[in-house]
Amino acid sequence: TIQRKGKLGFVNILYVESMKCMALMADAIGRDSHAYRSEYESLKKNVLSALHDTSGAYFRTQAGDTRLNTVASVLGARFLLEP
């Protein structure tokens, strides 16, 4: 088997999306969503910077890695990139 160390790209992308969902849920129940929105914006910026390869238009497996992460690329395109 191939073992990968560190957090995989798709886990980070899911975490970013979860902060966005938490902000939406906080709004829906009348709670302050500022902390969730702030965390979402910060995480999104950091994940895009570390994992998105704009020249190849894909998401990496982890920061500093050049391998394509298929699941991260699909989820990243869906959740993090602007149309």
Side-chain angles (χ1 to χ4, degrees):
T1 61
I2 298 173
Q3 293 183 345
R4 295 182 180 170
K5 296 180 180 179
K7 294 185 173 91
L8 299 178
F10 79 93
V11 172
N12 287 284
I13 292 167
L14 289 175
Y15 185 67
V16 173
E17 182 63 12
S18 74
M19 288 297 107
K20 180 179 170 185
C21 291
M22 290 297 293
L24 292 171
M25 288 189 289
D27 285 339
I29 62 172
R31 299 270 175 96
D32 184 15
S33 63
H34 176 73
Y36 295 117
R37 288 193 193 288
S38 178
E39 183 73 2
Y40 165 73
E41 291 299 331
S42 176
L43 289 168
K44 179 180 175 181
K45 178 182 172 187
N46 291 337
V47 166
L48 284 172
S49 174
L51 300 177
H52 186 235
D53 183 322
T54 55
S55 65
Y58 66 88
F59 283 80
R60 298 178 191 92
T61 299
Q62 59 189 16
D65 195 342
T66 58
R67 292 177 295 162
L68 163 77
N69 184 317
T70 306
V71 176
S73 293
V74 171
L75 295 176
R78 167 63 179 90
F79 295 133
L80 303 180
L81 299 179
E82 301 296 323

